[in-house]
Amino acid sequence: QVQLVESGGGLVQPGGSLRLSCAASGSIFRTYDMGWYRQVPEKKRELVATVSSGGITNYVDSVKGRFTISRDNAKNTVYLQMNSLKPDDTAVYYCNAQIVPIGATLSGYWGQGTQVTVSS
């Protein structure tokens, strides 16, 4: 069984910073791409950033230059450093990981979500 546990959300003023963390645990054989998505009410979940096991990153245009995704492969953990936050960044943020569990095939796993609110 594989679990993703997120932490680090909260309330921040415009221009502020937050760092999200997501740790994968359980019977993990290998972890491939990890990423962050976000969702606001009545809208589809959108990709924010991804990072491959080799460190290749990808960002949605609206966060380029402000957000940085990174990972610690030894800890099966992915991070999202968010700087210069804007009210439009307000959303529930979900982490995702493509994982091969021991004795099983590749599947996508989601965290429980963490609320990020940018407001003065």
Side-chain angles (χ1 to χ4, degrees):
Q1 189 172 1
V2 174
Q3 285 187 318
L4 301 185
V5 178
E6 303 165 5
S7 61
L11 172 64
V12 64
Q13 293 186 340
S17 298
L18 281 175
R19 188 187 194 216
L20 306 183
S21 300
C22 173
S25 63
S27 301
I28 297 172
F29 174 69
R30 185 166 293 173
T31 305
Y32 291 94
D33 287 4
M34 303 183 82
W36 291 93
Y37 292 70
R38 63 188 179 187
Q39 189 170 23
V40 297
E42 301 181 351
K43 288 194 175 181
K44 292 177 63 175
R45 191 172 297 186
E46 69 164 352
L47 171 70
V48 176
T50 61
V51 57
S52 72
S53 57
I56 297 172
T57 59
N58 178 54
Y59 298 91
V60 67
D61 285 347
S62 61
V63 308
K64 286 180 180 177
R66 300 188 298 121
F67 290 10
T68 301
I69 190 170
S70 61
R71 64 189 285 171
D72 183 331
N73 289 332
K75 297 181 179 179
N76 274 318
T77 299
V78 62
Y79 306 96
L80 185 68
Q81 178 66 43
M82 304 185 292
N83 299 328
S84 301
L85 282 160
K86 305 175 181 179
D88 284 351
D89 295 318
T90 296
V92 178
Y93 284 71
Y94 297 90
C95 70
N96 175 272
Q98 303 298 309
I99 291 173
V100 179
I102 295 172
T105 57
L106 179 68
S107 294
Y109 294 86
W110 291 94
Q112 79 281 7
T114 186
Q115 177 71 46
V116 172
T117 302
V118 185
S119 175
S120 55

